[in-house]
Amino acid sequence: MSAGVYARIREDIVSGALPPGAPLVEVTMAQRYGTSRTPVREALRRLEQDGLVEPGARGMRVRTRSVEEILEIYDVRITLEATAARWAADRRTELDLVRLRRAHDFMEQTDATDGAAMAETNRRFHEAVWAAGHNATLVDTLRNLNAHLVRYPATTLTRAGRWATALQEHARLVEAITDRDAAAAAKIAEEHMAAAREIRLQMAGEDDVR
């Protein structure tokens, strides 16, 4: 029961049905999701661990968004993505290369007008890079960090020219990993994520204007 409630609340947070700062009162939430307070309490505990909710003045609330948080997330992610790319170049197997190329092929076949599909195939590509580094701790850390970005659902990939640029950068990254050029792979990944950070900050600024 609690797993189902967790999934439903998480989806409502990600979709914006529960907006940033929204109070999450156990009694009200139990009524909303047709359950008792215990599954709601357990779900909120998990969501706090995910970084999606936080303590408020009166109980829990949906975690608020900020430019500072975007900077913190991306500053860490840039470093970790560069490390993942470096390790992928050092440690990749032939099977890893097959998976990377397949993930990139899926990206190239994605409808460039479908933001959700673009975000999904992009995520799969990055996860293929992480997996090629053969370090489970790094993969877990990146997944947990990436979970913080689900509260910023609009993808940077829909910005004019970004999708084409991302495909080119990913192709160069696959080439560097194939060649076992760890330094080049790390540099490409770092620059790729730094560009994503700048777009994300622009988007945040536009939201503030609205």
Side-chain angles (χ1 to χ4, degrees), residues 97-116:
L97 291 181
V98 170
R99 289 170 174 161
L100 274 171
R101 290 166 183 156
R102 182 181 301 154
H104 188 256
D105 287 344
F106 278 130
M107 285 192 69
E108 291 186 317
Q109 296 164 18
T110 300
D111 180 357
T113 65
D114 187 339

mmCIF file of all heavy atoms in Angstrom, residues 97-116:
data_model
loop_
_atom_site.group_PDB
_atom_site.id
_atom_site.type_symbol
_atom_site.label_atom_id
_atom_site.label_comp_id
_atom_site.label_asym_id
_atom_site.label_seq_id
_atom_site.Cartn_x
_atom_site.Cartn_y
_atom_site.Cartn_z
ATOM 1 N N LEU A 97 30.056 -0.677 -25.200
ATOM 2 C CA LEU A 97 30.031 0.130 -26.422
ATOM 3 C C LEU A 97 28.771 -0.142 -27.233
ATOM 4 O O LEU A 97 28.181 0.790 -27.805
ATOM 5 C CB LEU A 97 31.276 -0.158 -27.272
ATOM 6 C CG LEU A 97 32.615 0.329 -26.722
ATOM 7 C CD1 LEU A 97 33.740 -0.019 -27.690
ATOM 8 C CD2 LEU A 97 32.582 1.832 -26.462
ATOM 9 N N VAL A 98 28.363 -1.398 -27.292
ATOM 10 C CA VAL A 98 27.123 -1.733 -27.998
ATOM 11 C C VAL A 98 25.948 -0.996 -27.374
ATOM 12 O O VAL A 98 25.105 -0.412 -28.073
ATOM 13 C CB VAL A 98 26.879 -3.256 -27.976
ATOM 14 C CG1 VAL A 98 25.468 -3.590 -28.484
ATOM 15 C CG2 VAL A 98 27.922 -3.975 -28.814
ATOM 16 N N ARG A 99 25.890 -0.991 -26.049
ATOM 17 C CA ARG A 99 24.787 -0.335 -25.355
ATOM 18 C C ARG A 99 24.831 1.179 -25.536
ATOM 19 O O ARG A 99 23.793 1.832 -25.698
ATOM 20 C CB ARG A 99 24.846 -0.693 -23.866
ATOM 21 C CG ARG A 99 24.473 -2.148 -23.599
ATOM 22 C CD ARG A 99 24.774 -2.555 -22.175
ATOM 23 N NE ARG A 99 24.279 -3.898 -21.882
ATOM 24 C CZ ARG A 99 24.696 -4.647 -20.875
ATOM 25 N NH1 ARG A 99 25.629 -4.174 -20.043
ATOM 26 N NH2 ARG A 99 24.206 -5.849 -20.674
ATOM 27 N N LEU A 100 26.033 1.753 -25.513
ATOM 28 C CA LEU A 100 26.167 3.191 -25.719
ATOM 29 C C LEU A 100 25.710 3.596 -27.118
ATOM 30 O O LEU A 100 24.974 4.579 -27.284
ATOM 31 C CB LEU A 100 27.624 3.614 -25.521
ATOM 32 C CG LEU A 100 28.078 3.926 -24.097
ATOM 33 C CD1 LEU A 100 29.596 4.102 -24.063
ATOM 34 C CD2 LEU A 100 27.393 5.192 -23.598
ATOM 35 N N ARG A 101 26.151 2.853 -28.110
ATOM 36 C CA ARG A 101 25.785 3.182 -29.490
ATOM 37 C C ARG A 101 24.297 3.001 -29.720
ATOM 38 O O ARG A 101 23.667 3.790 -30.434
ATOM 39 C CB ARG A 101 26.602 2.309 -30.457
ATOM 40 C CG ARG A 101 28.084 2.687 -30.478
ATOM 41 C CD ARG A 101 28.926 1.641 -31.147
ATOM 42 N NE ARG A 101 30.348 1.983 -31.094
ATOM 43 C CZ ARG A 101 31.339 1.098 -31.176
ATOM 44 N NH1 ARG A 101 31.055 -0.205 -31.315
ATOM 45 N NH2 ARG A 101 32.593 1.491 -31.123
ATOM 46 N N ARG A 102 23.730 1.978 -29.098
ATOM 47 C CA ARG A 102 22.287 1.759 -29.228
ATOM 48 C C ARG A 102 21.529 2.911 -28.572
ATOM 49 O O ARG A 102 20.545 3.402 -29.131
ATOM 50 C CB ARG A 102 21.904 0.435 -28.569
ATOM 51 C CG ARG A 102 20.416 0.092 -28.695
ATOM 52 C CD ARG A 102 20.117 -1.215 -27.990
ATOM 53 N NE ARG A 102 20.893 -2.311 -28.548
ATOM 54 C CZ ARG A 102 21.225 -3.410 -27.886
ATOM 55 N NH1 ARG A 102 20.853 -3.548 -26.616
ATOM 56 N NH2 ARG A 102 21.915 -4.364 -28.464
ATOM 57 N N ALA A 103 21.988 3.343 -27.399
ATOM 58 C CA ALA A 103 21.332 4.456 -26.711
ATOM 59 C C ALA A 103 21.411 5.727 -27.547
ATOM 60 O O ALA A 103 20.447 6.505 -27.624
ATOM 61 C CB ALA A 103 21.970 4.682 -25.342
ATOM 62 N N HIS A 104 22.559 5.935 -28.200
ATOM 63 C CA HIS A 104 22.699 7.124 -29.048
ATOM 64 C C HIS A 104 21.817 7.014 -30.291
ATOM 65 O O HIS A 104 21.218 8.014 -30.722
ATOM 66 C CB HIS A 104 24.156 7.314 -29.462
ATOM 67 C CG HIS A 104 24.404 8.610 -30.160
ATOM 68 N ND1 HIS A 104 24.577 8.699 -31.520
ATOM 69 C CD2 HIS A 104 24.475 9.883 -29.687
ATOM 70 C CE1 HIS A 104 24.757 9.966 -31.862
ATOM 71 N NE2 HIS A 104 24.697 10.701 -30.770
ATOM 72 N N ASP A 105 21.710 5.821 -30.841
ATOM 73 C CA ASP A 105 20.828 5.612 -31.999
ATOM 74 C C ASP A 105 19.378 5.932 -31.636
ATOM 75 O O ASP A 105 18.654 6.553 -32.422
ATOM 76 C CB ASP A 105 20.923 4.169 -32.495
ATOM 77 C CG ASP A 105 22.230 3.893 -33.223
ATOM 78 O OD1 ASP A 105 22.909 4.861 -33.606
ATOM 79 O OD2 ASP A 105 22.573 2.704 -33.393
ATOM 80 N N PHE A 106 18.953 5.514 -30.444
ATOM 81 C CA PHE A 106 17.592 5.807 -29.995
ATOM 82 C C PHE A 106 17.377 7.318 -29.905
ATOM 83 O O PHE A 106 16.309 7.827 -30.250
ATOM 84 C CB PHE A 106 17.315 5.165 -28.635
ATOM 85 C CG PHE A 106 16.925 3.712 -28.706
ATOM 86 C CD1 PHE A 106 17.552 2.769 -27.909
ATOM 87 C CD2 PHE A 106 15.926 3.290 -29.572
ATOM 88 C CE1 PHE A 106 17.203 1.432 -27.975
ATOM 89 C CE2 PHE A 106 15.566 1.949 -29.642
ATOM 90 C CZ PHE A 106 16.196 1.020 -28.847
ATOM 91 N N MET A 107 18.392 8.031 -29.431
ATOM 92 C CA MET A 107 18.275 9.483 -29.352
ATOM 93 C C MET A 107 18.097 10.094 -30.738
ATOM 94 O O MET A 107 17.277 10.986 -30.948
ATOM 95 C CB MET A 107 19.511 10.083 -28.673
ATOM 96 C CG MET A 107 19.568 9.893 -27.172
ATOM 97 S SD MET A 107 20.855 10.926 -26.396
ATOM 98 C CE MET A 107 20.157 12.565 -26.623
ATOM 99 N N GLU A 108 18.875 9.612 -31.695
ATOM 100 C CA GLU A 108 18.798 10.159 -33.049
ATOM 101 C C GLU A 108 17.445 9.892 -33.704
ATOM 102 O O GLU A 108 17.018 10.648 -34.580
ATOM 103 C CB GLU A 108 19.914 9.572 -33.910
ATOM 104 C CG GLU A 108 21.308 10.050 -33.502
ATOM 105 C CD GLU A 108 22.381 9.585 -34.458
ATOM 106 O OE1 GLU A 108 22.327 8.397 -34.866
ATOM 107 O OE2 GLU A 108 23.271 10.376 -34.795
ATOM 108 N N GLN A 109 16.787 8.823 -33.271
ATOM 109 C CA GLN A 109 15.487 8.472 -33.847
ATOM 110 C C GLN A 109 14.316 9.130 -33.110
ATOM 111 O O GLN A 109 13.167 8.992 -33.523
ATOM 112 C CB GLN A 109 15.312 6.948 -33.810
ATOM 113 C CG GLN A 109 16.314 6.191 -34.664
ATOM 114 C CD GLN A 109 16.378 4.711 -34.323
ATOM 115 O OE1 GLN A 109 15.463 4.175 -33.691
ATOM 116 N NE2 GLN A 109 17.454 4.051 -34.717
ATOM 117 N N THR A 110 14.610 9.858 -32.045
ATOM 118 C CA THR A 110 13.561 10.458 -31.226
ATOM 119 C C THR A 110 12.944 11.672 -31.913
ATOM 120 O O THR A 110 13.642 12.462 -32.551
ATOM 121 C CB THR A 110 14.139 10.879 -29.864
ATOM 122 O OG1 THR A 110 14.658 9.728 -29.198
ATOM 123 C CG2 THR A 110 13.070 11.520 -28.981
ATOM 124 N N ASP A 111 11.648 11.808 -31.757
ATOM 125 C CA ASP A 111 10.919 12.962 -32.275
ATOM 126 C C ASP A 111 11.391 14.220 -31.537
ATOM 127 O O ASP A 111 11.198 14.347 -30.329
ATOM 128 C CB ASP A 111 9.421 12.754 -32.062
ATOM 129 C CG ASP A 111 8.574 13.911 -32.576
ATOM 130 O OD1 ASP A 111 9.139 14.912 -33.048
ATOM 131 O OD2 ASP A 111 7.331 13.805 -32.489
ATOM 132 N N ALA A 112 11.997 15.146 -32.271
ATOM 133 C CA ALA A 112 12.570 16.345 -31.665
ATOM 134 C C ALA A 112 11.523 17.359 -31.225
ATOM 135 O O ALA A 112 11.877 18.434 -30.737
ATOM 136 C CB ALA A 112 13.551 17.005 -32.633
ATOM 137 N N THR A 113 10.253 17.015 -31.379
ATOM 138 C CA THR A 113 9.187 17.888 -30.873
ATOM 139 C C THR A 113 8.555 17.314 -29.609
ATOM 140 O O THR A 113 7.654 17.925 -29.035
ATOM 141 C CB THR A 113 8.091 18.089 -31.933
ATOM 142 O OG1 THR A 113 7.443 16.845 -32.189
ATOM 143 C CG2 THR A 113 8.681 18.640 -33.226
ATOM 144 N N ASP A 114 9.001 16.150 -29.193
ATOM 145 C CA ASP A 114 8.449 15.457 -28.028
ATOM 146 C C ASP A 114 9.419 15.592 -26.856
ATOM 147 O O ASP A 114 10.365 14.807 -26.723
ATOM 148 C CB ASP A 114 8.197 13.989 -28.370
ATOM 149 C CG ASP A 114 7.467 13.232 -27.269
ATOM 150 O OD1 ASP A 114 7.500 13.694 -26.108
ATOM 151 O OD2 ASP A 114 6.875 12.187 -27.564
ATOM 152 N N GLY A 115 9.193 16.594 -26.014
ATOM 153 C CA GLY A 115 10.108 16.852 -24.910
ATOM 154 C C GLY A 115 10.277 15.683 -23.966
ATOM 155 O O GLY A 115 11.390 15.391 -23.515
ATOM 156 N N ALA A 116 9.181 14.989 -23.657
ATOM 157 C CA ALA A 116 9.248 13.851 -22.729
ATOM 158 C C ALA A 116 10.094 12.725 -23.309
ATOM 159 O O ALA A 116 10.905 12.114 -22.600
ATOM 160 C CB ALA A 116 7.847 13.359 -22.405
#
